[in-house]
Amino acid sequence: MTRKQKLRQAVDSLYSLGKAAEPSTYTSLLLECVRADDAVEAKRLQSHMDLHSFQPKDAFLHNRLLHLFAKTGRLSDAHQLFDKMPHRDVFSWNAMLSGHAKAGNAARLREVFDRMVVRDSVSYNTAISGFVGSGCCGEALEVLGRMRRGGMRPTEYTYVGVLNACSQLLDLRRGREIHGQIVVGLIGNVFVWNALIDLYAKCGDVDRARWVFDRMVGINLVSWNSMISGYLRNGRLDECLDLFHQMQAFGVEPDLVTMSSVLGAYFQMGLVEEATRIFRGMKERDGVCWTTMIVGYSQNKREENALLLFQEMLSENIRPDNYTISSLVSVCARLAVSDHGKVVHCKAIQIGIEDDLPVSTALVDMYSKLGEITDAWTLFKTMPVRNVISWNAMIIGYAQNGRDEDALALYERMLEENFKPDNITFVGVLSACGHLGLIDEGRSYFSSISEQHGLRPTLDHYACMINLYGRSGHMKEVMDMLKAMPDKPNQLIWSTLLSVSRINKEIDQAEVAAKHLFELDSQNAEPYIMLSNMYAAAGRWTDVASMRSLMKDRNIQKSAAYSWIQVDNEVHKFVSDDRTHPQSEEIYRELNRLIKRMQEAGFTSDSMLALHDVGEEEKVKSVCYHSEKLALAFALNRKPESAMPIRILKNIRVCADCHRFMKFVSKVMQRRIVLRDSSLFHHFRDGQCSCNDFW
C-alpha cells in the first residue's frame, strides 16, 4: 500500500469515528499530508476539523495547511483558510505570498504584500522573486527600497533577485549600484556572483562579467554556462569556444545548456558541419538543443536541413515550443513551401500554441509570403491578442500581394483600435500608396509620421516616397525629396532612384545613382546590369560595352537569376536556358508550345531587354527561356488540369517580358499564377496582375 493510500485510509477512519480527534492525531496526520504533498487528504482533514469545530491553539497547523495549499497551487483553498484563521503570523502571510509568486499573479502578490502588518526578510525576498518571475522587475526594485527603509538588511536571496531584475531591465547603472552595496560577507556567495555575471553579460559589459568570473571561488556549472552564453550573446564567439574548452580541461562535465550555447556559437561562425557533428555525438538532446539546430540551419540558409531535422525531432517525440514553431514557420515562408508550412501550422494547433502571439504572427507572415493572403487574413482576424508586429505583418502582407486598398483600410482600423504604428507600419502603408500611385495620400501619410505619431522618418520611408513619385512620373519631386533628406542617402535610396530612373528612361539620373552605388558596394552587380540594360534599350551599344568592360576589370560576378517551384512536395530549381533538369526535353517542348500559343493570342517578346547588339532573332531567343518561364512550363506539364494556382519564386525581380508572358498565360490558359520575386507578389488572373504593372 502506498503512502497516499495509507493516508486516505487513515482519514476515512477518522470520519468513521463521528467525533473530533485528539489534537495530536490531527497534527500527526496533517504533517504526514505535508510530507506526502497530498493536498486532497489535507483538505479532507481540514473539513473534518471544521465539521467538529476544532480550533488549534496557535497558527501551527493552519500554517502547514496554507503552505501545502500554496505549494500545490490550490490558492482558492488557501484563501478560504487564510480568511477564517483566528491566528495569523508572518509565516501565514509568507505562505500566501509564496503561492501567488509561484502562480505568477503579480496583482494578488502586491495586494497581499501591501496588507502585511509585519514582514521579515522572507517576505521581502518572496515578493522580489515573485515580481521578477512575473516580469514586474521595476516593482521588485521598489520592494528593495522598502526593505531598506524598513530597516531590514538584504540577504543573498535579495541580491540575487534584484540583480536578476536589473538583468531583465538591462539596467546596468542600477546593477552596478547594487553590486557596490553588496556586503563583504556575501562577496564569496556563488549565487550572488553568478547573478552578477549574468547581469554584466546581458547588459553588454562582457569584460566585467569575465572579471567577476575570474575572481570567483567555488565556480559551479551555472557560472561556466553564464559566462559561455554571455560571450555568445555578445558575439565573442572565439572566446565562447575557448572557455568551453577550458571548462572541459578542468574536468567540468557540460550539460545541455552548455551544449546549446556551443552549437549556437558554431552556427554563428558559419561552421554548420561542426555543429552538426557535435549535435549527432550528443548522448542526450533536449528541445532547446533541437531548436538551436533548427534556428542555426535557418540562419545559415540550410532551410531544407531545418525542415528535415524538425521531422526527426517529431519522430523522437521531442515537443517543440513556440520558438521552434516560429522559426520553422519563417523557414517555410522563405522557401514558400506551402505543404510544409501547413504541416507546421497543424503541429502548432496540435500542441496548443497556435494562439501564442509570436507563433500566430509568424503564421500570418508565412501565409502572406506564400501568396495565400486570404488564409493570412482568416488567421489574423481570429487572433485573441495582437500587437503592432501582428498588424504590420498583415498590412505588409496585403501590400506585397497587391491588396493595397485593404492594406490602407487595415491601417485605419489599426488606429481606430488605438494601436500605435511604428516605422515598419509606415513602410507597408507607403508601399501600398506606391503601388496604387496615390501621391496625395502618400504625402499625407508621410507627414503624419512625425506630425501625428512623433516618429522620425527613416531612409526606408524616403525610399518609399521616391518610389511613389518616380513610378508616377514625378521625377522633379523625386529629386526634391532627395535634396530634402536629413540623412545621407544609403544604398536603398540610390537603388530606388536607379529603379525609377529606369522606368522614366532618365539615363542621366540613373548614372548618378549608379555612381553612388559603385562607391558604396563596388562588387554588387545589380547597378552595373541595370545601367547596361538602359544603355541597351537606348541603343547605346558603346556604353554597354564599356559597362561590360568595367565589370570585367573589377571582377564583378553576376548572381545567377533562378526560380524554383514546389510540385508534389518536391522543390525544383531552374536557371535561364537551363538544360540540366531530368525532364528538360519535355519542359522545353511544353514551353515552345506555350510560346507559340501565346504568340497566336497576340504576345510578342520584348527584344529590347537583350543586352547584346545582335540580330532581332537572337534577341528574342535570349528572353524566351528565362527561369520563371521554365518553371511555369514544368508546372503545366506536370499538372495540366489542376485547379490550384501555380506558385513560382524568383530570387530577383521579374523582367517585363516574363511579366507580360505570365499575364497572357493566365488569360489564355485560364490558370492562376502566383509569382513571388525579390520585390513583391504578382497574382496573375484573367490577363491582369495584382501589382498594377508596377514590377
Side-chain angles (χ1 to χ4, degrees), residues 498-512:
L498 178 58
S499 178
V500 297
S501 298
R502 176 186 62 82
I503 292 170
N504 290 280
K505 299 180 172 59
E506 296 280 357
I507 291 182
D508 290 344
Q509 290 170 0
E511 288 175 333
V512 171

Side-chain angles (χ1 to χ4, degrees), residues 130 338 601:
S338 58

Side-chain angles (χ1 to χ4, degrees), residues 623-689:
V623 296
C624 278
Y625 304 126
H626 281 181
S627 60
E628 55 265 58
K629 289 177 182 172
L630 293 172
L632 174 64
F634 173 73
L636 289 171
N637 187 56
R638 287 283 295 270
K639 302 286 184 179
E641 304 298 330
S642 176
M644 298 298 292
I646 297 170
R647 302 181 185 278
I648 303 169
L649 282 84
K650 187 170 185 178
N651 67 324
I652 63 171
R653 185 172 293 183
V654 61
C655 74
D657 184 75
C658 289
H659 191 270
R660 287 182 61 249
F661 188 77
M662 298 291 173
K663 288 170 65 176
F664 266 82
V665 173
S666 71
K667 182 176 182 179
V668 174
M669 305 293 291
Q670 286 297 294
R671 293 293 297 268
R672 278 186 60 203
I673 303 168
V674 181
L675 172 62
R676 186 178 110 189
D677 66 9
S678 60
S679 178
L680 72 164
F681 274 93
H682 304 267
H683 293 256
F684 299 96
R685 188 201 297 257
D686 298 325
Q688 300 296 320
C689 180

